[in-house]
């Protein structure tokens, strides 16, 4: 191998830079995000009816697919009413349905999205719920 | 082969740094456009395409014109084009890259451009244009690179490359035809709704592209040890002459139909472009400059004696290029939008950021072209004197 | 067995591409795994085979009549006001006869018609040029004839704006949010983002809950009539079969679904033929 030494040193520097974020964050407090579901709107509901469109587990992992499907369904097929696995009907609307309960975008949506460093652009068009500045 | 682009004279590096600087300035302007929106340009509700799409259209023509070298060389075994063909193929590559960049610059939501492939719409000409342009780019990269590679080794190009060459010859007119169809099939855009649009596009392309190539070849001969060949340049000059004549003739046909028929919708864009309409005439001086340069260049080109003198030929080619650039890169697009769908005149003029982005994309094209020509010329200088049978 | 560097790079490159490719493929396959529930038909919705509108200009008498329709639409749909014609976005607007029906005007026509303003909006053509040219199916025709715009999918190429012969489409040249007054925002309807095209949708979101389009509700009685063109007993059909109506640029073959009653009340009374 020509210039073997240089190549190996280069590779080491490259690997060091690549893995920098990992050891930079070692030992730092890295709390799991806990999205809040204690909005006044939810509190008002009787305990038995405090249920989302689908199960908590499903929503946690699949809300983005669900929302994607909803938007195509509403905009393209004009199907606007969703019947969930419990047989309950929901208006397929992020802005008019989801937010009715989850009126706390900052403590609900943003918490996880920031933690995961994802930036969905729902709110550039859809109007976010009014919240007290925190 | 890329390594040959990494060594060069002081002049080479100055030129490269100059281009990089232009690209950098344009990139900053683009960042601004990306966050502010296309409102940063002169575009409006009424004139919704402008400089970017005009440059795109013009450069598709430059790209298609590569076939004017490839066809005589490979189909008619026209030996004089042996040295210059690679320059044509590499010009194609840089032109197509500029086309793609201009389209991206014009997109309102460039991040979503893959939607064209995720939700292909077979009835959209823009979908087909994406396919033919990218296909043409791949073909030319493949053919150009392979042939140059073999040349460097002093061997004949591999046999498998031949079918791709023939395919690229057939492909070239298709890219410009499809691009013409973007315009020629729209109801209500009188300036564009013309059956000879594709023919006009090809004629102007086959005049403008070779004109640019003549200028490039003369520059290369001046600054490097590589000579593309006097004969080749003269033949290109003939090609420019005939296609420029055809182009002017075609444009005359459009003029006749629109003005003699007297149909208001058809004549209004011509009036706007050449005499002004309802007191608006921003493009009038430019369009007349285009006409005068077209006629001026023809007055030189049709005389073989004048054409033989390379300085005069170069001058005529610059006029051809500028004339077509104004006509196709600007007038053609604006004429489709003014007057608007309500027969009202709302004018367009590019803004400074828009111009900087446009210059940057041209600089990118020239950057790619410089690198590719540097490689080709370095290899030609290495293998000077060796004749290879294709 | 030994390989040289060139071959090694080739193999490494190909396996990288294959790796990335298969990840993408798995992603696509997994998409279908969503435990989809069901959709329920919407019984409240107003439906039609082909929605159409008759604009009866004789019913519009004051400037406020027009303005009320425009305001209702633009407020309902959060249409921004940039205050300049370059960036302008409009779903419904007005223009004079000469510019609404180019080529139809002549010098000696009734002054009243010549200077009157006509209501303009998307024609929801049966054979829409905008849909034909869209490279991503972001604009498409629904089963009920409405030409719809999917702002989630639009890439902002503006081919549809070049294709529409009626100038019905607007592009978001700037961020529209900054140009809608806070107090004017309709919280039930989204705004748009920069770089997408928008236009009138015949109020699909209102039809879905059993309401007439916003402009129709605000127009003077009988000024904007909305109904099913395929239904012989519908109000629009009744008007079309008894009154002379015209459409914009019918010669282009796009088959607009918006019809105009031009005659003013003054001129619509035909003198008896002797």
């Amino acid at each position: 191998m020509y210039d073997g030494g240089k190549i190996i040193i280069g590779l080491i520097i490259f690997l060091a830079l690549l893995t920098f974020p990992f050891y930079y964050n070692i030992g730092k407090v890295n709390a799991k995000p806990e999205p809040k579901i204690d909005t006044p709107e939810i509190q008002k509901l009787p305990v038995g009816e405090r249920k989302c469109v689908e199960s908590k587990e499903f929503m946690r992992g699949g809300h983005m697919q669900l929302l994607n499907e909803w938007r195509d369904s509403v905009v393209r097929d004009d199907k606007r009413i969703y019947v969930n696995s419990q047989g309950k009907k929901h208006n397929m609307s992020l802005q008019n349905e989801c937010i009715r309960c989850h009126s706390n975008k900052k403590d609900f949506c943003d918490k996880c999205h920031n933690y995961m460093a994802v930036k969905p652009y729902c709110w550039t068009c859809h109007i976010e719920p009014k919240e007290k500045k925190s | 082969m890329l390594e040959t682009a990494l060594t060069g004279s002081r002049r080479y590096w100055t030129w490269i740094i100059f281009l990089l600087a232009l690209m950098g300035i344009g990139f900053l302007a683009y960042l601004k456009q990306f966050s502010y929106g296309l409102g940063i340009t002169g575009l409006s509700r009424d004139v919704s395409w402008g400089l970017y799409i005009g440059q795109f259209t013009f450069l598709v023509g430059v790209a298609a014109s590569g076939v004017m070298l490839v066809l005589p060389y490979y189909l008619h075994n026209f030996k004089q084009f042996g040295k210059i063909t690679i320059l044509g193929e590499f010009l194609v590559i840089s032109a197509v890259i500029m086309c793609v960049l201009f389209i991206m610059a014009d997109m309102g939501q460039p991040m979503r451009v893959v939607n064209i492939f995720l939700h292909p719409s077979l009835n959209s000409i823009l979908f087909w244009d994406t396919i033919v342009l990218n296909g043409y780019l791949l073909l030319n990269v493949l053919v150009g690179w392979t042939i140059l590679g073999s040349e460097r080794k002093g061997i004949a190009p591999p046999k498998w490359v031949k079918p791709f060459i023939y395919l690229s010859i057939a492909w070239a007119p298709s890219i410009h035809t499809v691009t013409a169809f973007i315009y020629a099939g729209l109801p209500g855009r009188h300036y564009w709704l013309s059956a000879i649009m594709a023919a006009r596009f090809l004629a102007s392309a086959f005049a403008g592209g070779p004109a640019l190539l003549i200028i490039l070849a003369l520059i290369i001969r001046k600054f490097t040890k590589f000579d593309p060949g006097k004969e080749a340049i003269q033949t290109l000059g003939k090609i420019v002459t005939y296609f420029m004549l055809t182009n002017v003739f075609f444009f005359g046909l459009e003029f006749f139909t629109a003005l003699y028929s007297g149909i208001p919708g058809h004549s209004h864009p011509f009036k706007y472009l050449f005499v002004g309409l309802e007191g608006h005439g921003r493009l009038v001086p430019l369009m007349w400059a285009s006409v005068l340069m077209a006629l001026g260049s023809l007055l030189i080109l049709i005389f073989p004696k004048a054409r033989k003198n390379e300085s005069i030929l170069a001058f005529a080619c610059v006029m051809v290029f500028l004339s077509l650039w104004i006509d196709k890169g600007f007038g053609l697009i604006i004429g489709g939008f003014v007057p608007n769908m309500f027969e009202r005149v709302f004018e367009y003029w590019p803004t400074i950021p828009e111009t900087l982005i446009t210059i940057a994309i041209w600089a990118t094209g020239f950057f790619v072209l410089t690198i590719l020509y540097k490689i080709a010329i370095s290899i030609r200088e290495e293998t000077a004197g060796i004749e290879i049978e294709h | 067995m030994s390989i040289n560097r060139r071959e090694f790079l080739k193999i490494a490159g190909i396996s990288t591409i294959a790796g990335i490719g298969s990840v993408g493929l798995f992603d696509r396959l997994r998409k279908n795994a969503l435990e989809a529930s069901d959709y329920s038909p919407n019984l409240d919705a107003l439906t039609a085979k082909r929605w159409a509108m008759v604009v009866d200009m004789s019913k519009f008498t004051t400037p406020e009549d027009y303005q009320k329709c425009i305001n209702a639409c633009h407020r309902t749909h959060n249409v921004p006001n940039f205050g300049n014609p370059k960036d302008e976005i409009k779903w419904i607007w007005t223009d004079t006869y000469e510019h609404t029906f180019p080529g139809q005007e002549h010098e000696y026509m009734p002054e009243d018609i010549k200077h009157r303003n006509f209501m303009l909006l998307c024609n929801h053509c049966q054979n829409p040029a905008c849909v034909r040219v869209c490279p991503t199916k972001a604009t498409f025709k629904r089963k009920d004839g409405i030409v719809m715009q999917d702002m989630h999918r639009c890439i902002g190429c503006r081919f549809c704006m070049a294709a529409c012969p009626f100038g019905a489409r607007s592009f978001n040249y700037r961020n529209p949010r900054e140009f809608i007054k806070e107090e004017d925002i309709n919280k039930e309807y989204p705004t748009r983002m920069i770089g997408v095209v928008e236009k009138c949708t015949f109020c699909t979101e209102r039809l879905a809950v059993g309401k007439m389009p916003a402009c129709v509700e605000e127009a003077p009685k009988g000024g904007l009539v909305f109904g099913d063109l395929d239904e012989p007993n519908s109000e629009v059909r009744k008007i079309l079969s008894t009154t002379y109506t015209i459409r914009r640029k019918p010669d282009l073959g796009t088959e607009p679904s918006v019809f105009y009653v031009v005659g003013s009340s003054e001129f619509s009374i035909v003198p008896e033929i002797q």
Side-chain angles (χ1 to χ4, degrees), chain B residues 375-387:
Chain B
I375 295 170
I377 291 162
S378 306
I379 287 169
R380 285 294 157 74
E381 285 170 344
E382 274 175 33
T383 61
I386 307 169
E387 273 298 316

Side-chain angles (χ1 to χ4, degrees), chain B residues 267-296:
Chain B
S267 54
H268 282 166
F270 285 91
K271 285 187 181 155
Y272 169 69
L273 291 175
F274 289 98
V275 292
L277 200 62
E278 294 171 20
H280 300 279
R282 262 193 139 155
L283 262 64
V284 173
L286 269 181
M287 292 310 286
W288 281 108
S290 171
V291 168
L292 291 178
M293 282 192 283
L295 297 177

Side-chain angles (χ1 to χ4, degrees), chain B residues 26-94:
Chain B
F27 184 70
L28 292 179
Y30 182 74
L31 286 182
K32 181 83 187 147
Q33 179 186 303
F34 191 78
S35 60
Y36 182 96
L38 278 158
I40 206 169
T41 66
L43 297 170
S44 61
R45 195 181 188 282
D46 292 303
V47 186
S48 47
W49 281 341
L51 194 56
Y52 296 149
I53 294 293
Q55 302 307 295
F56 157 77
T57 310
F58 179 77
L59 286 162
V60 175
V62 174
S65 75
V67 75
M68 283 292 109
L69 294 167
V70 178
L71 189 146
Y73 183 55
Y74 288 104
L75 288 190
H76 300 285
N77 202 19
F78 186 73
K79 285 271 167 25
Q80 280 90 338
F81 276 175
K83 288 174 169 176
I84 207 170
T85 298
I86 193 74
L87 299 186
E89 279 159 345
F90 282 170
L91 178 61
V92 168
I93 293 172
S94 82

Side-chain angles (χ1 to χ4, degrees), chain C residues 14-26:
Chain C
I14 289 168
S15 16
T16 312
I17 291 169
I20 294 169
S22 54
V23 169
L25 191 68
F26 274 116

Side-chain angles (χ1 to χ4, degrees), chain A residues 34-70:
Chain A
E34 297 282 350
K36 287 201 175 131
I37 46 170
D38 58 348
T39 62
E41 289 78 4
I42 297 177
Q43 302 276 331
K44 264 183 238 160
L45 292 169
V47 179
E49 280 176 33
R50 290 183 190 169
K51 275 184 189 151
C52 199
V53 174
E54 293 287 356
S55 74
K56 195 170 172 181
E57 290 67 38
F58 175 82
M59 294 309 286
R60 191 181 286 157
H63 66 278
M64 45 294 215
Q65 278 101 332
L66 186 83
L67 286 171
N68 254 348
E69 210 158 278
W70 278 19

